[in-house]
Amino acid sequence: AKDGGKNNYQFYACEMNASLEEKLALMDGLRKAVDEQQLRLEYQPKLDLESGRIFGVEALLRWQHPERGAIRPDQFIPLAEESGAIVAIGEWVLREACRQARAWQDAGLPPLTISVNVSPRQFDDLRLEARVAEALQQSGLAPRWLELEVTESLIMRDVQQAVAKMRELEAMGLALSIDDFGTGYSSLAALKSFPIGRLKIDKSFVRDLANSADDQAIARAIISLAHQLQMRVIAEGVETAQQCEFLRANGCDELQGYLLSPPLAAAGIAALLQAGTAT
Ligand code: C2E
Ligand code: CA
Ligand code: CA
Ligand code: CA
């Protein structure tokens, strides 16, 4: 489809051929993306279901490639992870997210928790704590407004090491949450040793929530587990009023998804919050 007149077979063959070369070209491009200012962040609001307030945003990375245009994170984060470029990119994300969160506060908006995604290679980086401390210090953002999202599968690879690292981060005053919960294999015993404030129900369980008894049971189980461990629970990928109603009725604390808002540029978040405080 992308290549106009080609039939499916040729298109498929082309993709196969191009893939390695393309992958290497993208990896090469990623090394320069930070310096050449091709990266930017969008921010997706998170809603507290009890108060009806937006309490935070998740920073989501965007790559504006000079020739290819916008490239989705699912297509380049894994490559950046493989090449190691994710460490420099992740550092830029941290700095930019903290800077923006502080800029909103300085503009007089109600303070928001800013969540930043941390990938495995970044998490393993021995200098992660130092990089986080630097981003906070340079921006002047108080640590309590920064949250790191780590995936369930990441922390379950090596529980002891992950617990130690997360305790250090917690001691710095920031918040931690588990992303994509339900997609990995958690040791429930291990879960309680993590200093985690929030579990995020993966969107794969939210998608069919209105019709799937299985997904309803999973969502309820995650909500109950989170609450028993004194954690808050947020659902991602909430697109419909039915999904929202189910989650609310079953005690989910917070939600994120297109129903509330897609990820927005920084100015869009400011406008949304201003509209909220004006009424
Ligand atoms: P994620 O952390 O699970 O982020 C949620 C994804 O769901 C985002 O995709 C978001 O745009 C999308 N989304 C939000 N609301 C809805 C909805 O209502 N329905 C559906 N179907 N999707 C929704 P996005 O922005 O394409 O990011 C994809 C993934 O890339 C993220 O998944 C995260 O794993 C990774 N990523 C994004 N930014 C960063 C970053 O700065 N650093 C790292 N390490 N990874 C990142
Ligand atoms: Ca996330
Ligand atoms: Ca997620
Ligand atoms: Ca995900």
Side-chain angles (χ1 to χ4, degrees), residues 58 60 117 149 151 178-181 200-203 236-237 256:
E58 177 176 8
L60 293 160
N117 291 286
E149 294 192 2
T151 62
I178 304 188
D179 202 357
D180 298 352
F181 194 78
K200 188 180 270 192
I201 303 174
D202 189 68
K203 59 177 176 286
E236 70 175 5
Q256 184 182 347

Side-chain angles (χ1 to χ4, degrees), residues 53-68:
R53 284 181 186 281
I54 292 169
F55 68 95
V57 293
E58 177 176 8
L60 293 160
L61 186 57
R62 306 291 179 243
W63 182 17
Q64 190 63 37
H65 190 281
E67 288 117 40
R68 292 159 198 254

Side-chain angles (χ1 to χ4, degrees), residues 15-35:
E15 293 252 298
M16 300 271 288
N17 249 338
S19 69
L20 180 61
E21 244 178 293
E22 199 172 295
K23 182 173 154 182
L24 292 173
L26 283 177
M27 279 180 165
D28 193 47
L30 274 169
R31 283 194 296 111
K32 300 177 235 164
V34 173
D35 285 343

